[in-house]
Amino acid sequence: MTKTNRIAFQGELGANSHEACAAAYPDMEPTPYPTFEEAFEAVKGGHCRLGMIPVENSIAGRVADVHHLLPNSGLKIIGERFKPIHFQLMANRGAKLEDIRTAVSMTIALAQCRKTLKRMKLKTESVGDTAGAARILSQAPDPTKAALSPALAAEIYGLEILARDVEDEHHNTTRFLIMTAEKDPPRPAFTEPCITSFIFRVRNLPAALYKALGGFATNGVNMSKLESYMENGAWSATFFYAEVDGRPEDLALARAFEELQFFSEKFEVLGVYPADPFRTR
């Protein structure tokens, strides 16, 4: 496997994911990939040492593609980061705010600024990436259009910010997971609060899910996330992605996992990693 100092992200240079990579790993080279799948493959194939992928947003909800790709990616989660998200309305140099008629960005970004854009009486136009909107505008100038992108995109593509922080909610936050291709990455120190991510599929029995989760309640383990997803289109075989406080070595969590596996056909820990301090703010 080729040793690199790159960190993969989905999107284009100047995207929120680019900003997140640069903030979390300033000594690594953020490397863009068009799709989540390609970003995962870059890490798995050794082209990048780490991957940093958004999994949910406080306003728009979860990033659906990631939950389908992660369980079968062969990667392990080694960290999480919460990033406050701010969008800037940027245009070609010399353009005036009063002349802007259309805001261009990724659909999920437009949704996070919907009220503000409506108040500004701007039409919306969707493209595949927030930073991509800025790049396209820089390549094909239009005085009636503005890109809705992170501040870094304005710097990279030579655009001028006409309105700052136009997101509807200023608590707008995206959670990222950091992944590695290492099969057994080092565990965090026992002094650190930890999160354990795992997947499981319950047996096809009445009340199996209720019984499988009972061990977490009786052992006092906090479950912060539980989401279902289908694999291979099988309606009768529902998988679950879950996150709990603690590490598998903890007695309470070990007992909960023992009970879970008794009622499950498949169980796999995807990562044990330090909890971001943002959780307790």
Side-chain angles (χ1 to χ4, degrees), residues 231-255:
E231 189 174 73
N232 301 322
W235 290 91
S236 61
T238 301
F239 278 78
F240 294 88
Y241 171 87
E243 295 175 356
V244 293
D245 293 350
R247 61 185 74 228
E249 296 83 5
D250 297 340
L251 182 59
L253 185 52
R255 286 173 173 169

Side-chain angles (χ1 to χ4, degrees), residues 32-109:
Y33 289 88
T35 66
F36 290 119
E37 189 168 14
E38 288 172 279
F40 276 99
E41 286 298 323
V43 180
K44 188 175 181 179
H47 302 292
C48 293
R49 183 173 296 172
L50 299 176
M52 194 163 183
I53 303 295
V55 290
E56 57 193 324
N57 176 266
S58 60
I59 296 176
R62 74 177 186 177
V63 181
D65 288 353
V66 175
H67 287 75
H68 286 281
L69 293 171
L70 181 58
N72 297 315
S73 67
L75 305 181
K76 293 293 185 181
I77 304 168
I78 60 169
E80 65 172 358
R81 290 291 189 279
F82 288 81
K83 181 185 185 301
I85 301 297
H86 301 291
F87 289 108
Q88 322 304 325
L89 196 66
M90 58 191 69
N92 303 113
R93 295 194 180 278
K96 297 179 180 180
L97 183 57
E98 55 265 31
D99 295 329
I100 301 300
R101 298 290 178 266
T102 305
V104 184
S105 194
M106 194 175 185
T107 301
I108 195 169

Side-chain angles (χ1 to χ4, degrees), residues 34-201:
T35 66
F36 290 119
E37 189 168 14
E38 288 172 279
F40 276 99
E41 286 298 323
V43 180
K44 188 175 181 179
H47 302 292
C48 293
R49 183 173 296 172
L50 299 176
M52 194 163 183
I53 303 295
V55 290
E56 57 193 324
N57 176 266
S58 60
I59 296 176
R62 74 177 186 177
V63 181
D65 288 353
V66 175
H67 287 75
H68 286 281
L69 293 171
L70 181 58
N72 297 315
S73 67
L75 305 181
K76 293 293 185 181
I77 304 168
I78 60 169
E80 65 172 358
R81 290 291 189 279
F82 288 81
K83 181 185 185 301
I85 301 297
H86 301 291
F87 289 108
Q88 322 304 325
L89 196 66
M90 58 191 69
N92 303 113
R93 295 194 180 278
K96 297 179 180 180
L97 183 57
E98 55 265 31
D99 295 329
I100 301 300
R101 298 290 178 266
T102 305
V104 184
S105 194
M106 194 175 185
T107 301
I108 195 169
L110 294 170
Q112 293 169 37
C113 306
R114 180 180 59 82
K115 295 177 183 177
T116 303
L117 296 176
K118 184 177 180 180
R119 189 165 57 248
M120 297 174 73
K121 298 180 180 180
L122 296 181
K123 298 178 182 178
T124 59
E125 181 180 315
S126 297
V127 294
D129 184 76
T130 54
R135 175 185 56 77
I136 292 169
L137 190 58
S138 71
Q139 294 173 343
D142 186 335
T144 69
K145 288 187 176 182
L148 193 65
S149 305
L152 182 58
E155 180 182 334
I156 292 175
Y157 300 109
L159 301 180
E160 184 176 353
I161 295 176
L162 302 181
R164 294 185 178 273
D165 299 348
V166 297
E167 62 278 359
D168 293 336
E169 305 291 343
H170 293 299
H171 61 72
N172 188 14
T173 303
T174 292
R175 177 174 178 248
F176 292 81
L177 292 180
I178 303 153
M179 286 163 286
T180 179
E182 291 184 58
K183 298 300 181 184
D184 189 22
R187 294 283 176 89
F190 278 92
T191 54
E192 294 187 78
C194 282
I195 305 294
T196 296
S197 292
F198 59 98
I199 58 169
F200 65 97
R201 182 178 65 196

